[in-house]
């Protein structure tokens, strides 16, 4: 019953006496990616963000996805096409399809995501010329390229995600044979930096100096000495002046 953003006292689970504070934040697709049960390998923030960017997913679009897996990308796609778009996601494993369907219902996304238990390599997607974009995350994605092409609208976009370069190579070859243009391969790497506050003692040799003006010397005298030293360095580093040679007739 608390509003979003409320600061609440929390106790560590199974550790009495260890208390702290938490903030009640509205759930996001990133939170779902971090919290979901990993039934398969999933896509994380860096890959999901780049997939959405390259496909150009926007509200009102119809996006076809295979396979559903743990639903990490499905949730992000649903937010991108909301409020009146739709995600058609396909999973060949019946147990995973049922679990994903329940998860989407719990998240209130059933109106946006439709889960199909179907092997798209054999049966295709069952839609023709309706999808603005198709995403493939399959062991052999090149076997589904023909079906993906049939599902796409004119000028639609296709993205295939594979962990091995051999899969990428075979998929790219089939895409070119099927008439896809501007076929590219990307790899996303994410580096997280941790920040911390460190208390440092001032060395004894620097005590009493004004930090705003310190550059190795102190005060106006120091600045004058530094200017002189800089002029001497520039003079010593500059090349010697060239000698002028006069044109005179040679004397025998």
């Amino acid at each position: 019953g608390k509003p979003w953003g409320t600061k609440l006292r929390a106790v560590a689970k199974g550790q009495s006496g260890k208390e702290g504070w938490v903030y009640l934040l509205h759930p996001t697709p990133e939170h779902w990616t971090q919290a979901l049960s990993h039934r398969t390998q999933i896509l994380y923030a860096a890959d999901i963000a780049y997939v959405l960017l390259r496909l150009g997913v926007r509200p009102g679009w119809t996006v076809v996805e295979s396979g559903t897996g743990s639903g990490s990308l499905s949730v992000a796609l649903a937010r991108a096409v909301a409020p009146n778009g739709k995600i058609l996601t396909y999973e060949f494993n019946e147990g995973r399809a049922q679990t994903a369907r329940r998860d989407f219902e719990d998240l209130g996304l059933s109106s946006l995501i439709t889960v199909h238990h179907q092997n798209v390599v054999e049966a295709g997607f069952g839609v023709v010329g309706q999808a603005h974009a198709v995403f493939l995350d399959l062991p052999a994605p090149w076997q589904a390229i023909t079906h993906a092409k049939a599902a796409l609208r004119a000028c639609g976009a296709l993205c295939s995600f594979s962990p091995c370069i051999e899969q990428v190579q075979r998929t790219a070859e089939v895409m070119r044979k099927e008439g896809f243009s501007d076929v590219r391969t990307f790899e996303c790497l994410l580096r997280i930096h941790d920040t911390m506050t460190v208390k440092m003692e001032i060395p004894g040799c620097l005590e009493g100096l004004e930090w705003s003006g310190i550059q190795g010397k102190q005060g106006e005298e120091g600045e004058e000495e530094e200017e002189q030293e800089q002029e001497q360095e520039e003079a010593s580093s500059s090349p010697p002046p060239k000698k002028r040679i006069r044109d005179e007739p040679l004397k025998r």
Side-chain angles (χ1 to χ4, degrees), residues 4-15:
W4 300 118
T6 302
K7 184 179 180 181
L8 302 173
R9 182 179 294 277
V11 180
K13 187 176 181 180
Q15 299 180 15

Side-chain angles (χ1 to χ4, degrees), residues 148-171:
K149 180 181 178 181
L152 282 170
R153 297 186 177 193
C155 298
L158 168 63
C159 176
S160 177
F161 183 86
S162 298
C164 300
I165 192 63
E166 292 81 8
Q167 295 170 299
V168 173
Q169 185 177 5
R170 294 189 64 174
T171 304

Side-chain angles (χ1 to χ4, degrees), residues 4-252:
W4 300 118
T6 302
K7 184 179 180 181
L8 302 173
R9 182 179 294 277
V11 180
K13 187 176 181 180
Q15 299 180 15
S16 59
K18 292 190 175 181
E19 297 183 357
W21 296 95
V22 297
Y23 287 93
L24 192 60
L25 302 178
H26 193 284
T28 66
E30 184 181 9
H31 295 148
W32 173 245
T33 296
Q34 296 170 349
L36 59 78
S37 59
H38 290 198
R39 301 178 288 275
T40 59
Q41 293 291 328
I42 68 172
L43 273 72
Y44 289 94
D47 294 315
I48 291 173
Y50 199 67
V51 167
L52 294 176
L53 173 69
R54 297 300 303 185
L55 291 179
V57 181
R58 65 190 68 177
W61 271 27
T62 297
V63 179
V64 168
E65 175 198 18
S66 182
T68 309
S70 300
S72 175
L73 178 65
S74 306
V75 173
L77 288 171
R79 185 176 70 166
V81 302
N84 53 353
K86 59 181 177 179
I87 307 299
L88 305 178
T89 183
Y90 298 78
E91 174 59 51
F92 79 97
N93 183 285
E94 186 176 2
R96 288 200 293 264
Q98 292 176 354
T99 304
R101 191 178 290 112
R102 288 195 300 269
D103 287 343
F104 300 147
E105 289 175 358
D106 294 340
L107 293 171
L109 298 175
S110 297
S111 61
L112 295 171
I113 306 176
T114 303
V115 181
H116 298 271
H117 171 224
Q118 187 168 309
N119 187 339
V120 300
V121 171
E122 297 178 358
F125 296 101
V127 295
V128 178
Q130 297 183 26
H132 295 87
V134 173
F135 177 83
L136 301 178
D137 185 0
L138 301 170
W142 57 89
Q143 296 178 353
I145 298 300
T146 303
H147 299 306
K149 180 181 178 181
L152 282 170
R153 297 186 177 193
C155 298
L158 168 63
C159 176
S160 177
F161 183 86
S162 298
C164 300
I165 192 63
E166 292 81 8
Q167 295 170 299
V168 173
Q169 185 177 5
R170 294 189 64 174
T171 304
E173 289 174 355
V174 176
M175 288 177 67
R176 291 191 177 94
K177 289 179 182 178
E178 289 292 335
F180 285 89
S181 61
D182 195 21
V183 180
R184 304 185 186 185
T185 301
F186 300 93
E187 180 181 15
C188 296
L189 301 176
L190 177 65
R191 177 177 294 179
I192 299 175
H193 293 264
D194 294 327
T195 60
M196 62 182 67
T197 302
V198 180
K199 215 171 186 180
M200 298 183 65
E201 296 183 0
I202 300 177
C205 60
L206 299 180
E207 290 182 359
L209 300 182
E210 295 182 3
W211 288 97
S212 60
I214 188 169
Q215 291 182 352
K217 300 286 183 178
Q218 182 183 9
E220 297 180 357
E221 296 181 359
E223 293 179 0
E224 293 178 358
E225 292 181 9
E226 285 185 358
E227 291 178 0
Q228 294 176 1
E229 290 176 0
Q230 188 175 358
E231 292 176 358
Q232 293 176 1
E233 290 178 0
E234 293 176 354
S236 61
S237 61
S238 59
K242 295 182 180 180
K243 295 182 180 180
R244 297 183 62 186
I245 302 176
R246 295 173 59 187
D247 291 335
E248 293 184 357
L250 295 176
K251 295 180 180 181
R252 295 182 178 177

